[in-house]
């Protein structure tokens, strides 16, 4: 490969992640038009990009990746060679996110946006959404204290009988028909789950206050910035669950943080924090342990005793200052460490320093050994082997 | 068995995942993180923020990493 060809190979590679200038684009296109070898290599580079996504041990599991993309509101992976593709993908991603956010509010919006007494359908901008959300089969919750069910969609007692009892707040209803607009209400035919009712209910009061609503399940997925997402690239799939931007204060020296609501048998939540240097991460780690009365190289988490040890080899030996951290006069501690303590609530906590990333694990109860074992789960690494606990994201 | 040919399957079959994996694993941490974020769909500007470098530096980093991976897979060196 000659230098001139390599130059165009680099331009083609750059085009995957960045917009080329018009001059660069023109010069690349002109060269590719006349160089079959370069076209083949460029196609190979673009194929590398797609194949990289499928790498089992370098990228998160597909399910995790899909969740990650959903959380950060990103497009599916696809060629980014044209602006048009990008625009379509971005629009699709935006639609998906919007649909989630809108879902829980749709009943409220439909009614608020509709003039109270006008017996018409929803405004045009919502007409497309309505049938998809409150059609037969949808499950809704009663969100008022008492909801009347009637035999027909009208408040006219001569045409519709009141069913007893009234349905309480939280009762689940399955939509089986409707909506029918009558007497200024939108009526849906419903079956009350766990009740003998099958009848018609009005979806909202005249003022638009909803009486039934799609269940507010989990809040819309939080958007991660690229910097936050970088923290969980390579994180164990069983740990990269429901990860959200850190809301509470970051640990000292940390510049970025993510909390993952793992909800596993022994671990409820983990936090991942990024630091400028590994030494910063280790220093904050030691300070945290000291605050709970845990000194370096003491205790034994596997024996349910608060403590600290190095997972990295070379602890207790002299080394470059940048590779060692000091605590109370001891200046020979390696940076890769794991420790455990009980927090204010008596709950087991484990902390791990993985290079510039540190991981905090919050247990379900006071069992330090369970949480520590989870941090190491499914790896052969153990302190002394020099291998980090598996909870450390690959590449940290 | 009918199989759909694609550039990905071509790469995976001809060169094997392990070769690509090894090539990516051999990259410096920043370059590897940048490539994986890119594979996840993040664009160059976002990746630059994530790894704390300028756009220009990130473009150079990613470009060289891609070429280096490709050359490693083609067995023509270039890994230094």
């Amino acid at each position: 490969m000659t230098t001139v060809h390599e130059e165009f190979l680099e331009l083609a590679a750059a085009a995957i992640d960045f917009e080329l200038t018009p001059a660069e684009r023109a010069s690349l296109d002109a060269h590719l038009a006349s160089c079959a070898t370069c076209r083949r290599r460029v196609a190979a580079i673009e194929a590398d990009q797609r194949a990289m996504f499928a790498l089992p041990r370098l990228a998160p599991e597909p399910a995790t990746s899909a969740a990650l993309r959903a959380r950060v509101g990103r497009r599916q992976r696809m060629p980014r060679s044209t602006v048009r593709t990008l625009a379509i993908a971005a629009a699709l991603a935006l639609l998906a996110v919007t649909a989630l956010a809108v879902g829980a509010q749709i009943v409220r919006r439909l009614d608020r946006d509709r003039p109270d007494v006008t017996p018409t359908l929803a405004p045009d901008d919502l007409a497309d959404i309505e049938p998809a959300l409150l059609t037969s089969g949808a499950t809704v919750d009663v969100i008022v204290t008492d909801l009347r069910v009637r035999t027909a969609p009208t408040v006219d007692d001569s045409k519709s009988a009141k069913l007893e009892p009234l349905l309480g707040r939280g009762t689940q209803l399955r939509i089986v028909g409707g909506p029918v607009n009558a007497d200024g209400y939108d009526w849906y035919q419903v079956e009350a789950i766990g009740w003998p009712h099958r009848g018609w209910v009005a979806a909202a009061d005249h003022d638009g206050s909803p009486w039934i609503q799609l269940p507010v399940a989990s809040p819309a997925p939080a958007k991660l910035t690229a910097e936050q997402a970088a923290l969980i690239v390579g994180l164990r799939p069983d740990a990269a669950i429901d990860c959200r931007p850190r809301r509470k204060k970051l640990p000292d020296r940390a510049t970025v943080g993510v909390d993952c609501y793992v909800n596993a048998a022994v671990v409820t939540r983990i936090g991942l924090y990024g630091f400028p240097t590994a030494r910063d991460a280790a220093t904050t780690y030691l300070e945290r342990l000291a605050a709970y009365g845990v000194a370096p190289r003491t205790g034994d988490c596997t024996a349910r005793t608060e403590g600290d040890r190095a997972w990295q080899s070379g602890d207790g030996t002299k080394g470059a200052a940048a590779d060692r951290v000091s605590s109370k006069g001891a200046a020979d501690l390696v940076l890769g460490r794991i420790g455990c303590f009980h927090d204010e609530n008596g709950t087991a906590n484990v902390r791990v320093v993985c290079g510039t990333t540190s991981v905090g694990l919050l247990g379900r109860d006071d069992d330090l050994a369970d949480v520590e074992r989870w941090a190491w789960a499914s790896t052969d690494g153990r302190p002394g082997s020099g291998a980090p606990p598996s909870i450390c994201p690959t590449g940290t | 068995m009918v199989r759909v040919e694609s550039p990905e399957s071509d790469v995976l079959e001809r060169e094997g995942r392990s070769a690509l994996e090894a090539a990516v694993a051999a990259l410096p941490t920043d370059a590897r993180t940048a490539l994986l974020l890119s594979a996840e769909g993040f664009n160059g500007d976002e990746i630059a923020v994530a790894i704390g470098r300028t756009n220009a530096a990130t473009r150079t980093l990613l470009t060289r990493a891609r070429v280096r991976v490709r050359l490693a897979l083609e067995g023509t060196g270039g890994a230094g």
Side-chain angles (χ1 to χ4, degrees):
Chain A
M1 178 186 282
T2 66
T3 305
V4 63
H5 291 282
E6 194 158 342
E7 176 189 318
F8 288 109
L9 196 58
E10 289 186 353
L11 262 187
I16 295 177
D17 301 290
F18 291 89
E19 285 286 322
L20 297 184
T21 66
E24 286 172 331
R25 169 56 66 187
S27 116
L28 175 62
D29 288 347
H31 182 76
L32 291 183
S34 66
C35 177
T37 305
C38 292
R39 283 201 298 276
R40 188 185 59 75
R41 300 189 98 120
V42 167
I45 278 194
E46 288 170 354
D48 288 343
Q49 161 82 349
R50 294 187 288 275
M52 239 175 277
F53 182 80
L55 285 180
R57 270 173 286 165
L58 293 170
E61 291 295 308
T64 311
S65 299
L68 175 67
R69 277 195 304 277
R71 282 196 297 271
V72 298
R74 302 308 305 179
R75 56 196 172 267
Q76 292 285 327
R77 65 204 153 95
M78 55 179 65
R80 275 170 286 167
S81 51
T82 69
V83 173
R84 177 178 294 275
T85 311
L86 260 180
I88 292 168
L92 285 174
L94 182 65
L95 264 182
V97 172
T98 309
L100 279 174
V102 163
Q105 295 297 323
I106 194 65
V107 172
R108 186 186 302 272
R109 285 192 54 191
L110 282 172
D111 278 88
R112 193 172 57 223
D113 294 350
R114 177 177 58 73
D116 279 347
V117 294
T118 311
T120 58
L121 295 173
D124 288 347
D125 63 333
L126 290 172
D128 291 342
I129 299 172
E130 182 187 27
L133 285 161
L134 279 189
T135 47
S136 295
T139 301
V140 295
D141 292 335
V142 175
I143 58 166
V144 289
T145 309
D146 293 303
L147 182 66
R148 173 67 69 193
V149 184
R150 288 180 167 271
T151 57
T154 171
V155 292
D156 183 342
D157 286 339
S158 69
K159 298 174 186 164
S160 165
K162 295 173 181 171
L163 293 173
E164 298 290 343
L166 295 166
L167 299 179
R169 184 188 299 273
T171 307
Q172 288 194 308
L173 305 174
R174 187 180 300 115
I175 305 277
V176 295
V180 171
N181 190 274
D183 307 329
Y185 296 102
D186 279 335
W187 298 86
Y188 286 91
Q189 189 179 23
V190 299
E191 288 174 344
I193 297 166
W195 294 75
H197 290 64
R198 181 181 176 119
W200 292 81
V201 299
D205 203 346
H206 286 295
D207 69 2
S209 308
W211 290 342
I212 57 173
Q213 183 169 287
L214 288 167
V216 182
S218 48
K223 251 187 143 174
L224 296 183
T225 64
E227 201 177 8
Q228 289 161 345
L231 276 179
I232 57 173
V233 167
L235 180 61
R236 233 168 62 189
D238 64 329
I241 292 172
D242 196 8
C243 298
R244 311 175 199 168
R246 169 90 174 168
R247 297 237 181 270
K248 289 191 281 182
K249 189 174 156 291
L250 289 172
D252 288 349
R253 301 178 190 83
T255 56
V256 57
V258 169
D259 287 322
C260 299
Y261 293 76
V262 172
N263 206 19
V266 299
V267 170
T268 59
R269 177 163 53 90
I270 69 171
L272 293 100
Y273 313 107
F275 292 83
T277 69
R279 201 155 182 273
D280 287 328
T283 304
T284 295
Y285 161 92
L286 287 177
E287 287 174 359
R288 179 79 170 159
L289 260 59
Y292 288 92
V294 179
R297 285 208 292 273
T298 62
D300 183 355
C301 299
T302 60
R304 302 187 168 80
T305 312
E306 295 182 337
D308 157 82
R309 59 186 170 179
W311 57 257
Q312 197 179 351
S313 53
D315 202 36
T317 61
K318 296 289 178 201
D323 299 330
R324 295 289 186 280
V325 63
S326 62
S327 174
K328 295 192 193 295
D332 53 1
L333 304 171
V334 294
L335 305 181
R337 315 194 68 81
I338 180 168
C340 63
F341 58 89
H342 290 112
D343 65 17
E344 298 81 354
N345 306 315
T347 307
N349 275 253
V350 166
R351 295 286 184 276
V352 187
V353 183
C354 321
T356 57
T357 300
S358 81
V359 184
L361 301 90
L362 180 64
R364 197 169 281 290
D365 54 31
D366 63 352
D367 196 327
L368 297 168
D370 276 354
V371 182
E372 203 252 11
R373 198 176 307 117
W374 196 83
W376 286 98
S378 71
T379 52
D380 298 328
R382 279 294 183 272
S385 73
S390 66
I391 196 61
C392 288
T394 55
T396 55
Chain B
M1 181 176 142
V2 178
R3 203 162 50 82
V4 177
E5 287 294 341
S6 69
E8 292 95 309
S9 63
D10 191 29
V11 166
L12 292 176
E13 294 215 351
R14 187 158 35 82
E15 294 158 344
R17 279 191 174 186
S18 58
L20 177 61
E21 194 171 344
V24 174
L27 295 168
T29 301
D30 268 7
R32 187 170 59 239
T33 300
L35 276 186
L36 293 178
L37 281 173
S38 176
E40 283 289 338
F42 288 97
N43 67 34
D45 297 354
E46 293 169 321
I47 296 167
V49 170
I51 63 174
R53 298 198 183 200
T54 63
N55 278 11
T58 303
R59 176 171 155 164
T60 304
L61 180 81
L62 271 166
T63 300
R64 289 191 181 153
R66 290 188 190 288
V67 172
R68 186 163 147 183
V69 165
R70 178 92 303 260
L71 294 183
L73 290 176
E74 291 178 8
T76 56

